[in-house]
C-alpha cells in the first residue's frame, strides 16, 4: 500500500563545505501518476560528487533554485502505473535514463514519465543498478573524448574510484593503454587485474618520472583528471608535446595549476570537461 506521506531530503539553500547546512530531512506528499507517468518507490541511491556540488549550487545541470529535492540517480520499484502506460509493470525494478533534471532521487517516491524509465535486468544487483547512469555515461564520454591513437598511452587520476575502475575496464576492452594514478600502493593490484597497462602510486612514486619510464620517454598522449590542483600540473607535464588534459573533477578542492612555460612552449592544453555538455549528447 502506498502511503500519503514520504520522507525527502531537501536542499533549502545552497551551502559550502564543510558545513553543508542547507540540507534537511522533511515530510512531503506522495504524488499520483498522470497519463503516461509512473509512480516509483526509490529504495537505493548513491551519493556522487555531483550531488555534493548540487548542494553547494555549483552543478551546471539540474535546478539552480531552492528549495528542491536532492539526488541525481538511484534504483526504484514501479508501484503504480498512470493511464496509458504499457511498457512497464508494477513491481519491476527501474532506473531513470536519466532521472528528470538529474535530481529528486533522495526521496521515497517520485513520479516519472514512463519513457524515461528503463527496466533493470535480474542479472544486476541493486547496488549496481543504482549507479547505472552518471558514472557509466561519464566514463563513456571521457574515453571517447580522450581516446589516443593505437600504441599511445592515456593517463587517468583517481583511478581507484568506482568511475576510475569503469574507465580502466573500458580502456582494456577498446585496447587502450591506460596509466592509472592512485594515492596508495595497496590499490595497484586491483587495477592491474582490471587491465591497466601500468599503475602509479603517488605515495611512493614520482608521477612525471614514472610516466616517462613507462612511455619510453615520449610522455602520454592525453590525460583525464578528477583531482585538480597540483595533480593537474603534474599530469600535464607528463604529456607529450601537443597533449591534452581533460579535467572533469575537483577532488582536491584546489584551483587547477599548470606550468605556464611547459604548457605554452610544448603546445599542451588543459580543458574542463563536463558530462552535461559531452556524454549526454551521445
Amino acid at each position: 500500500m502506498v502511503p500519503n506521506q514520504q520522507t525527502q531530503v531537501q536542499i533549502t539553500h545552497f551551502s559550502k563545505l564543510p558545513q553543508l547546512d542547507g540540507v534537511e530531512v522533511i515530510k512531503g506528499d506522495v504524488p499520483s501518476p498522470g497519463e503516461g507517468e509512473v509512480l516509483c518507490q526509490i529504495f537505493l541511491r548513491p551519493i556522487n560528487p555531483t550531488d555534493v556540488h548540487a548542494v553547494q549550487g555549483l552543478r551546471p545541470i539540474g535546478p539552480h533554485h531552492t528549495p528542491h529535492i536532492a539526488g541525481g540517480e538511484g534504483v526504484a520499484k514501479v508501484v503504480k502505473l498512470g493511464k496509458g502506460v504499457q511498457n512497464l509493470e508494477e513491481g519491476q525494478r527501474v532506473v531513470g535514463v536519466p532521472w528528470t533534471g538529474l535530481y529528486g532521487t533522495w526521496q521515497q517516491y517520485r513520479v516519472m514519465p514512463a519513457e524515461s524509465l528503463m527496466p533493470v535486468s535480474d542479472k544486476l544487483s541493486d547496488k549496481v543498478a543504482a549507479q547505472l547512469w552518471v558514472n557509466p555515461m561519464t566514463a563513456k564520454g571521457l574515453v571517447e573524448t580522450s581516446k589516443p591513437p593505437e600504441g599511445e598511452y592515456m593517463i587517468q587520476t583517481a583511478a581507484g574510484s568506482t568511475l576510475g575502475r569503469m574507465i580502466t575496464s573500458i580502456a582494456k576492452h577498446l585496447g587502450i593503454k591506460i596509466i592509472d594514478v592512485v594515492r596508495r600502493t595497496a590499490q595497484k593490484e586491483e587495477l592491474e587485474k582490471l587491465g591497466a597497462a601500468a599503475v602509479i602510486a603517488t605515495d611512493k612514486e614520482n608521477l612525471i618520472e614514472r610516466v616517462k619510464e613507462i612511455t619510453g620517454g615520449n610522455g602520454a598522449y592525453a590525460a583525464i583528471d578528477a583531482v585538480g590542483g597540483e595533480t593537474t600540473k603534474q599530469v600535464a607535464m607528463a604529456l607529450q608535446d601537443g597533449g591534452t588534459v581533460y579535467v572533469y573533477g575537483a577532488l582536491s578542492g584546489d584551483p587547477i595549476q599548470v606550468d605556464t612555460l611547459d604548457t605554452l612552449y610544448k603546445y599542451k592544453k588543459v580543458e574542463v570537461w563536463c558530462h552535461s555538455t559531452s556524454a549526454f549528447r551521445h
Side-chain angles (χ1 to χ4, degrees):
M1 182 176 178
V2 179
N4 294 322
Q5 292 274 299
Q6 64 169 319
T7 301
Q8 302 169 310
V9 177
Q10 178 177 262
I11 300 175
T12 58
H13 62 273
F14 297 129
S15 53
K16 304 300 181 183
L17 291 169
Q19 290 84 10
L20 295 181
D21 57 358
V23 180
E24 66 177 6
V25 178
I26 63 171
K27 290 291 184 180
D29 294 333
V30 175
S32 297
E35 185 171 355
E37 294 181 331
V38 174
L39 178 63
C40 302
Q41 181 182 10
I42 305 169
F43 59 88
L44 186 66
R45 69 284 285 166
I47 300 177
N48 292 311
T50 51
D51 293 315
V52 179
H53 297 159
V55 171
Q56 297 175 272
L58 301 176
R59 202 172 66 171
I61 50 180
H64 294 100
H65 61 81
T66 55
H68 69 264
I69 305 302
E73 64 178 341
V75 61
K77 179 176 69 174
V78 174
V79 293
K80 190 174 182 180
L81 302 175
K83 184 179 178 181
V85 176
Q86 298 180 342
N87 61 321
L88 297 170
E89 299 177 356
E90 292 184 4
Q92 270 188 308
R93 288 190 307 160
V94 292
V95 295
V97 286
W99 294 93
T100 304
L102 281 180
Y103 75 99
T105 62
W106 290 5
Q107 57 185 330
Q108 292 173 294
Y109 295 90
R110 182 175 180 185
V111 165
M112 284 283 292
E115 63 185 15
S116 295
L117 295 171
M118 180 179 71
V120 175
S121 168
D122 292 338
K123 296 179 181 180
L124 297 181
S125 68
D126 293 338
K127 183 177 179 180
V128 171
Q131 303 175 77
L132 268 182
W133 182 255
V134 173
N135 280 336
M137 289 301 292
T138 301
K140 175 180 181 290
L142 281 167
V143 172
E144 288 180 349
T145 301
S146 58
K147 183 179 178 180
E150 185 176 352
E152 297 283 5
Y153 287 85
M154 177 174 74
I155 302 169
Q156 77 150 332
T157 64
S161 67
T162 299
L163 175 57
R165 295 196 297 273
M166 285 184 185
I167 290 171
T168 298
S169 297
I170 293 172
K172 179 182 179 181
H173 176 73
L174 296 176
I176 296 171
K177 296 195 290 187
I178 190 165
I179 301 171
D180 282 343
V181 179
V182 294
R183 290 183 297 172
R184 301 186 307 276
T185 302
Q187 297 173 287
K188 294 182 68 170
E189 184 177 356
E190 179 187 4
L191 293 169
E192 288 168 347
K193 289 180 179 178
L194 281 175
V199 184
I200 299 171
T202 56
D203 60 348
K204 293 184 177 180
E205 299 174 281
N206 180 283
L207 190 157
I208 299 172
E209 291 178 359
R210 281 290 292 129
V211 171
K212 287 182 178 180
E213 291 174 6
I214 295 163
T215 62
N218 296 323
Y221 175 83
I224 49 181
D225 176 36
V227 181
E230 172 69 19
T231 298
T232 305
K233 176 182 176 181
Q234 291 185 30
V235 168
M237 294 182 72
L239 296 180
Q240 59 188 237
D241 291 7
T244 302
V245 182
Y246 299 94
V247 181
Y248 72 96
L251 293 176
S252 70
D254 297 326
I256 293 170
Q257 298 180 30
V258 296
D259 183 300
T260 304
L261 294 180
D262 179 76
T263 305
L264 179 64
Y265 291 128
K266 295 183 179 179
Y267 309 105
K268 298 177 183 180
K269 293 187 291 184
V270 176
E271 295 187 9
V272 175
W273 187 97
C274 180
H275 54 57
S276 65
T277 58
S278 299
F280 289 2
R281 291 177 180 170
H282 294 275

